Amino acid sequence: MGRNNRSRKRRDEMNKIKKARYEAKELIRLKKTLGLLDADGNEIMKDISDVVEVKTSKELKREAKSKEEQELIYEHQESLEKGEKVKVTNENTGVEHVFNSKTLKDQYGNYPAWFKKKKTAKRLRKKQHSQKKNFKQAWTTVNVPL
């Protein structure tokens, strides 16, 4: 109960021809929507590079990495800057907390109750990772035996 290969081959050939014809039509339609062609079908702009900036996946990854590094550097600089001290008393316990406006931590090193725990954990992981990345032990760089 096998199928007829001959009819399948013919169908595939016809589908290839159809696909090529539809691709040409679709390209014209896309160029019209982008404004590369006018109503008569004449090309307005020759280079697509004037309209779109084409990037490879490696370039996109590099940009994302550099953005992340810049964020970490910015957070590190923010942590070095001294913020204003804001005093808040807890209504339930009556304990007075002094929060730093930059780091949002109180004198005990805790974040406020409204601060999201997952976000803080993520921030801490990134911070620790950046510190490990930049860390160099003194004995490996200074006293290397020959």
Side-chain angles (χ1 to χ4, degrees), residues 81-98:
E81 293 175 9
K82 305 223 177 199
E84 298 175 16
K85 307 267 181 180
V86 180
K87 292 183 180 180
V88 178
T89 55
N90 192 342
E91 296 173 2
N92 298 336
T93 58
V95 179
E96 188 174 283
H97 294 275
V98 181

Side-chain angles (χ1 to χ4, degrees), residues 113-130:
W114 52 265
F115 211 72
K116 296 177 182 170
K117 291 178 182 175
K118 281 187 177 180
K119 201 170 188 180
T120 57
K122 186 177 181 183
R123 211 183 247 176
L124 285 172
R125 281 196 304 271
K126 281 187 176 181
K127 189 176 179 183
Q128 287 171 353
H129 179 70
S130 68

Side-chain angles (χ1 to χ4, degrees), residues 95-113:
V95 179
E96 188 174 283
H97 294 275
V98 181
F99 286 99
N100 188 342
S101 63
K102 284 286 181 187
T103 61
L104 298 175
K105 290 182 181 180
D106 63 355
Q107 74 267 28
Y108 307 114
N110 300 327
Y111 287 99

Side-chain angles (χ1 to χ4, degrees), residues 13-141:
E13 287 174 20
M14 297 312 252
N15 284 341
K16 283 180 188 176
I17 294 167
K18 246 195 267 184
K19 188 178 178 184
R21 191 174 67 216
Y22 287 142
E23 281 178 350
K25 284 183 181 179
E26 190 177 356
L27 184 64
I28 290 169
R29 194 180 312 130
L30 283 172
K31 283 186 178 179
K32 280 184 182 176
T33 55
L34 284 174
L36 300 175
L37 292 177
D38 58 357
D40 300 330
N42 301 327
E43 287 195 27
I44 297 170
M45 289 192 302
K46 302 269 183 189
D47 291 333
I48 193 96
S49 60
D50 297 337
V51 178
V52 180
E53 187 177 327
V54 180
K55 294 182 182 177
T56 62
S57 60
K58 285 183 181 179
E59 290 173 352
L60 291 172
K61 284 178 185 175
R62 272 193 218 122
E63 284 182 11
K65 207 173 199 179
S66 64
K67 270 187 186 174
E68 209 170 277
E69 287 175 358
Q70 287 174 355
E71 283 179 16
L72 286 170
I73 291 168
Y74 180 73
E75 282 186 12
H76 182 67
Q77 287 173 350
E78 271 192 345
S79 65
L80 292 177
E81 293 175 9
K82 305 223 177 199
E84 298 175 16
K85 307 267 181 180
V86 180
K87 292 183 180 180
V88 178
T89 55
N90 192 342
E91 296 173 2
N92 298 336
T93 58
V95 179
E96 188 174 283
H97 294 275
V98 181
F99 286 99
N100 188 342
S101 63
K102 284 286 181 187
T103 61
L104 298 175
K105 290 182 181 180
D106 63 355
Q107 74 267 28
Y108 307 114
N110 300 327
Y111 287 99
W114 52 265
F115 211 72
K116 296 177 182 170
K117 291 178 182 175
K118 281 187 177 180
K119 201 170 188 180
T120 57
K122 186 177 181 183
R123 211 183 247 176
L124 285 172
R125 281 196 304 271
K126 281 187 176 181
K127 189 176 179 183
Q128 287 171 353
H129 179 70
S130 68
Q131 287 174 349
K132 282 181 184 176
K133 193 174 176 185
N134 297 330
F135 178 71
K136 290 182 179 139
Q137 286 188 333
W139 65 271
T140 57
T141 57

